[in-house]
Amino acid sequence: MTAQSTQIHPATPAGAPHFHFQQGVLHAEGVSLEHLGKTLGTPLYVYSRAALATAFTSYLEAIGTHKVLVCYGMKANSNLAVLKEFARLGSGFDIVSGGELARVLAAGGNPAKIVFSGVGKQAWEMQAALEAGVKCFNVESVPELKRLSAVSTELGMTARVSLRVNPDVDAKTHPYISTGLKENKFGIAIEEAPAAYQLASSLPGIAVVGVDCHIGSQITEVAPYLDALDKLLKLIDELAGLGIELKHLDLGGGLGIRYDDETPLAPKILLDKVFAQLQARGYAHLELVLEPGRSLVGNAGVLLTTVQFLKHTEARNFAIVDAAMNDLMRPALYEAWHGVLPVVPHSSATTLYDVVGPVCESADWLARGRQLALNEGEIIAIESAGAYGFVMAGNYNSRPRPAEVMVDGDHYHVIRQRETFEDLIRGESCLP
Ligand code: LLP
């Protein structure tokens, strides 16, 4: 065991100004997280409505009067209440499945602001999206183009299409969340794009409207975006020579957030450079589409969990908590770093802990090697859990998924009930 003296609690958790300490207790806006955890039980996802709005507004301020549609990459957090907030703020949505389409429609999102991405769209998903009237399909391969043409022709409709090209750009992020490299499964190789566009223009039921790329997630540098943009603009030049005119350019690739000591890139820093490049190349008239997910929700949420046991072994000290890899998969899957904060810090004498869950896997950890002062029974917050947290949760070890709560000022709303044992076995049956 190692003990050292540290500041009992920071004034504001890293990168999340709507989570702060008030009289020694961590709050989301005006609501005590200790109160929430004790009242509603843990594990519990807690989001801040104001944090969602602030993040969205940082895009709007960066956009100013430019023609830009922000399509929230809803895979990051698709709770209906979250979608509704972004719909209210005027956001569009980037969807990747028929299920996500159904969620946007259920939340009252505008279908005319939906772009449909994903490498494996099925015919029924295409049909549902056509019938809903989505803005465009981001088509990722020639076979997909042909299927979409067949589906829309059959329905007597026209599918607006943007080809997702793979610009072969290194986003310098975790290999699992890099999407714009040649070896990734996404998009059409940029060299093959002109031929694919010519095919698209000739197919029935297809109207070519744009070009799209997505280079990866948790990006903290401008250069990969500008490289991708440069390649897309060269392609647009080439397409113009072939008589193919585009209306929009979708520059996908998610801005990073601060988990630990990253320096995130503000939307304004990126967009000023993008607008300048569009202007310089004579494409200021093109509508720009963005697909941010993580940067809109990541630091708007925490996962509350209660310390069950403190287990000291010869090699390690374990804080065994009631949240696990099934609730927050990012550490197990990407060795991702999430901050850990006791909700009511009580001591400055810390011990080096691995924070682990009850699941029967050694990969079941939430944080490793952290200096923490912990007592059994206390609630801790796993930070930056608003993106790719609940949405990636599962039921491994027959663990019901957590409840989700949205704080709004001094109030809170349960926006998803905790799963029950009945939920877990719904749809299962035994042989007669
Ligand atoms: N649009 C498309 C087509 C995407 O593939 C993604 C993310 C986004 C938008 C949103 O990107 P963001 O702004 O969130 O970076 N589960 C991983 C992240 C996977 C991201 C995949 N694509 C994680 O927990 O880090």
Side-chain angles (χ1 to χ4, degrees), residues 75 94 117 164 177 214 217-218 254 291-294 330 334 388 392:
K75 63 171 73 65
D94 170 67
S117 307
R164 173 169 174 178
I177 55 175
H214 192 276
S217 193
Q218 184 60 16
E291 309 171 357
R294 187 193 317 263
R330 302 191 71 256
Y334 318 114
Y388 306 109
M392 290 173 74

Side-chain angles (χ1 to χ4, degrees), residues 70-84:
V70 177
C71 290
Y72 168 50
M74 63 174 283
K75 63 171 73 65
N77 185 327
S78 56
N79 184 290
L80 291 185
V82 172
L83 301 183
K84 183 96 193 168

Side-chain angles (χ1 to χ4, degrees), residues 172-321:
K172 301 197 175 65
T173 183
H174 189 288
Y176 281 16
I177 55 175
S178 160
T179 51
L181 282 169
K182 258 199 174 109
E183 58 261 40
N184 298 136
K185 68 180 173 185
F186 302 100
I188 295 169
I190 195 145
E191 313 80 58
E192 292 161 23
Y197 268 101
Q198 282 178 300
L199 173 67
S201 307
S202 72
L203 285 174
I206 299 286
V208 170
V209 293
V211 62
D212 166 50
C213 74
H214 192 276
I215 56 175
S217 193
Q218 184 60 16
I219 302 172
T220 52
E221 291 177 35
V222 178
Y225 288 100
L226 296 184
D227 284 356
L229 181 60
D230 178 55
K231 291 186 177 183
L232 292 193
L233 292 177
K234 284 186 181 134
L235 172 64
I236 297 176
D237 287 340
E238 194 178 338
L239 293 178
L242 297 170
I244 299 171
E245 296 288 338
L246 305 184
K247 297 193 181 100
H248 77 247
L249 183 157
D250 182 338
L251 189 61
L255 288 175
I257 61 165
R258 181 161 172 208
Y259 286 98
D260 182 8
D261 54 3
E262 301 90 340
T263 310
L265 197 57
K268 180 147 177 58
I269 308 240
L270 171 65
L271 288 182
D272 280 351
K273 297 217 157 74
V274 169
F275 296 141
Q277 193 162 333
L278 287 173
Q279 181 78 40
R281 302 274 286 268
Y283 285 110
H285 61 282
L286 274 184
E287 180 188 25
L288 186 67
V289 177
L290 302 171
E291 309 171 357
R294 187 193 317 263
S295 54
L296 290 177
V297 290
N299 271 326
V302 297
L303 172 63
L304 299 184
T305 179
T306 304
V307 177
Q308 301 298 306
F309 302 112
L310 297 176
K311 179 171 173 177
H312 307 290
T313 70
E314 207 180 300
R316 297 276 173 98
N317 300 302
F318 295 103
I320 302 173
V321 300

